[in-house]
């Protein structure tokens, strides 16, 4: 068996230890005589799995009691609609557009109310995070929306915007559990788990209780109301049961690594190896403003499309998978999520160094 170094932006690398454990439990989960895939989501055994997953996530993120944790489906993209449907009481929301995902979220919300784009970095291909310390927040805005880590462009908010008292809603799909967060600063934190937590099919929504109401936009389907899922503890209908079980395993793995402060330190160390190399390289260069660099997604280019393609091809042959940049930006992108070991980044930098020697 040969495992590659997988730099995919998502679905992405998972801890090997977790995959092995799941393999061991595949046919007989803890003496139940069946796989978690085959189990009733209403069984005692499964109840323990989902409750422990929620508790471990609460411990990791230090989630206060007045926030609900929901395990939902539909991916992060479904939240683009669910958020306005549930929160747009005045039918006005402010969006900060720092990439494709924020842009998509803004255009979806525009179906339900007035969307004000109060800041954007579209003028420089989303290569930076705009100054959000004193924005023109709309007086009647129901919330302010950000995509905290921009998976495609490789930028991250290092400081949260000053929302001047409005609720902050954040898509953290690609930086979920990569470092500690202060949950109390947000109304909603949400993300698809397939980037940094588990298998595709689960989206986690952490939402402050007072934002969960029956007062939603007319016509909002039952399945798209936060209240439905909060009241039923994520078991209104069949949840993505196996995916939640895998997330739970990753939460336990993260606790074993020392929690989010330890992950931050590890992720910083890992990213520094790659960024330091990009800063000194004569062939490769990073594409975003230094202060705004993401710890998770690292885009880079040679400046020559043919050479980029050659690099991606040769890297693949050497066991470095999924380094091709997003189709909207080209070049390369290395996603170095929690489960990517330092050895993987070191090996990649060595490969890049050799490639530079051979091609300069
Ligand atoms: C991948 C991604 C999405 C889309 O996620 P889906 O689960 O495929 O809908 C949204 N936001 C961010 C930041 C992402 O990285």
């Amino acid at each position: 068996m040969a495992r590659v170094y997988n730099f995919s932006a998502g679905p992405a690398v998972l801890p090997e230890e977790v995959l092995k454990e799941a393999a061991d439990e595949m046919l007989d989960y803890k003496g139940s005589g069946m796989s978690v895939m085959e189990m009733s989501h209403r069984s005692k055994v499964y109840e323990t799995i989902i409750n422990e997953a929620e508790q471990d996530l609460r411990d990791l993120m230090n989630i206060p009691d007045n926030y609900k944790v929901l395990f939902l489906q539909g991916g992060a993209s479904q939240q683009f609609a669910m958020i306005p449907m549930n929160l747009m009481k005045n039918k006005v929301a402010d969006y900060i557009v720092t990439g494709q995902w924020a842009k998509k979220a803004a255009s979806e919300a525009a179906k339900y109310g007035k969307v004000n784009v109060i800041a954007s970095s579209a003028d420089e291909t989303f290569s930076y995070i705009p100054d959000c310390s004193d924005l023109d927040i709309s007086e009647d805005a129901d919330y302010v929306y950000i995509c905290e880590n921009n998976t495609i462009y490789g930028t991250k908010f290092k400081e949260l915007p000053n929302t001047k008292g409005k609720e902050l809603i954040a898509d953290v799909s690609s930086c979920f559990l990569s470092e500690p967060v202060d949950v109390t600063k947000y109304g909603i934190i949400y993300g698809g788990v397939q980037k940094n937590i588990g298998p595709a099919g689960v989206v986690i929504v952490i939402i402050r209780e007072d934002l969960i109401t029956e007062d939603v936009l007319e016509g909002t389907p039952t399945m798209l109301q936060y209240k439905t899922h909060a009241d039923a503890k994520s078991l209104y209908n069949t949840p993505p049961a196996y995916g939640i079980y895998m997330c739970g395993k990753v939460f336990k793995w993260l606790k074993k690594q020392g929690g989010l402060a330890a992950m931050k330190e590890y992720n910083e160390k890992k990213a520094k190896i790659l960024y330091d190399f990009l800063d000194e390289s004569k062939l490769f260069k990073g594409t975003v403003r230094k202060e705004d660099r993401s710890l998770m997604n690292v885009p880079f280019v040679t400046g020559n499309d043919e050479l980029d393609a050659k690099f991606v091809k040769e890297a693949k042959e050497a066991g470095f998978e999924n380094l091709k940049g997003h189709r909207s930006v080209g070049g390369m992108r290395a996603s170095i999520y929690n489960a990517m070991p330092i050895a993987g980044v070191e090996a990649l930098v060595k490969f890049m160094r050799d490639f530079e020697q051979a091609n300069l």
Side-chain angles (χ1 to χ4, degrees):
M1 182 201 67
R3 299 257 308 158
V4 296
Y5 285 123
N6 180 6
F7 293 93
S8 172
V13 58
L14 288 170
E16 209 167 290
E17 214 179 297
V18 165
L19 294 173
K20 280 188 181 145
E21 228 179 77
D24 285 344
E25 294 172 350
M26 185 58 77
L27 296 181
D28 176 11
Y29 177 75
K30 294 195 174 162
S32 66
M34 58 178 103
S35 167
V36 173
M37 280 186 213
E38 304 170 297
M39 232 169 235
S40 164
H41 58 292
R42 312 262 176 224
S43 64
K44 266 269 165 294
V45 192
Y46 193 74
E47 198 181 313
T48 307
I49 292 174
I50 191 167
N51 288 345
E52 270 186 32
E54 174 174 342
Q55 190 55 53
D56 285 333
L57 180 64
R58 285 185 176 276
D59 296 346
L60 281 167
M61 292 180 73
N62 202 9
I63 300 175
D65 288 343
N66 64 328
Y67 282 75
K68 293 279 189 208
V69 173
L70 310 177
F71 296 101
L72 307 180
Q73 305 191 55
S77 301
Q78 179 125 293
Q79 294 306 307
F80 298 171
M82 209 163 156
I83 288 161
M85 285 174 138
N86 284 267
L87 299 192
M88 266 192 177
K89 321 282 181 197
N90 298 330
K91 301 212 172 169
V92 179
D94 288 352
Y95 278 69
I96 298 174
V97 173
T98 52
Q100 297 292 350
W101 295 119
K103 202 168 141 187
K104 280 195 175 165
S107 41
E108 187 70 12
K111 291 186 168 183
Y112 305 100
K114 182 161 170 35
V115 165
N116 299 311
V117 175
I118 53 168
S120 166
S121 50
D123 59 340
E124 289 178 38
T125 358
F126 300 118
S127 60
Y128 70 102
I129 298 290
D131 177 3
C132 297
S133 57
D134 186 18
L135 296 172
D136 203 3
I137 307 283
S138 312
E139 219 161 280
D140 50 353
D142 291 303
Y143 58 87
V144 175
Y145 182 101
I146 61 168
C147 176
E148 195 161 328
N149 184 80
N150 296 281
T151 325
I152 296 172
Y153 298 95
T155 58
K156 158 114 205 300
F157 280 83
K158 301 290 161 82
E159 236 175 89
L160 294 175
N162 174 3
T163 63
K164 302 182 179 170
K166 302 292 183 193
E167 299 303 340
L168 179 64
I169 312 296
D171 174 357
V172 299
S173 294
S174 50
C175 59
F176 225 151
L177 303 180
S178 63
E179 55 183 277
V181 288
D182 181 353
V183 174
T184 64
K185 295 212 158 91
Y186 305 79
I188 296 179
I189 302 178
Y190 80 93
V193 305
Q194 74 273 23
K195 308 287 161 68
N196 204 21
I197 302 180
V202 184
V203 55
I204 297 175
V205 176
I206 300 161
I207 176 169
R208 218 182 49 236
E209 264 167 4
D210 57 285
L211 296 175
I212 304 170
T213 66
E214 268 162 10
D215 175 24
V216 297
L217 296 192
E218 205 184 312
T220 301
T222 309
M223 274 294 286
L224 297 188
Q225 297 181 23
Y226 290 123
K227 191 162 189 319
T228 303
H229 300 285
D231 287 352
K233 300 187 85 183
S234 301
L235 292 168
Y236 170 72
N237 68 328
T238 319
Y242 194 81
I244 295 168
Y245 153 80
M246 288 299 288
C247 292
K249 286 206 172 302
V250 171
F251 300 153
K252 289 197 191 299
W253 178 81
L254 286 168
K255 279 182 146 178
K256 218 161 84 185
Q257 308 306 304
L260 301 192
M263 280 327 290
K264 178 174 200 247
E265 205 175 300
Y266 189 69
N267 287 327
E268 281 174 345
K269 203 166 138 195
K270 221 162 44 180
K272 188 174 188 306
I273 295 169
L274 186 48
Y275 283 125
D276 281 354
F277 171 72
L278 290 172
D279 288 342
E280 68 170 48
S281 170
K282 291 191 175 60
L283 181 65
F284 298 101
K285 57 176 185 300
T287 55
V288 310
R289 189 163 76 184
K290 279 189 191 177
E291 310 89 273
D292 302 325
R293 282 171 165 175
S294 164
L295 287 181
M296 298 280 102
N297 312 97
V298 184
F300 55 95
V301 295
T302 64
N304 172 332
D305 290 349
E306 267 167 48
L307 207 52
D308 286 353
K310 184 174 184 230
F311 174 80
V312 171
K313 180 170 174 284
E314 289 183 12
K316 185 178 166 68
E317 285 160 9
F320 303 98
E321 287 277 351
N322 293 312
L323 282 166
K324 196 169 186 297
H326 190 268
R327 58 190 185 278
S328 66
V329 266
M332 281 74 72
R333 171 179 50 174
S335 294
I336 49 176
Y337 296 119
N338 283 344
M340 172 59 64
I342 272 192
V345 176
E346 283 169 346
L348 174 65
V349 165
K350 181 177 181 308
F351 179 81
M352 288 168 76
R353 212 171 248 133
D354 292 346
F355 185 88
E356 175 172 315
Q357 289 271 307
N359 290 278
L360 207 58

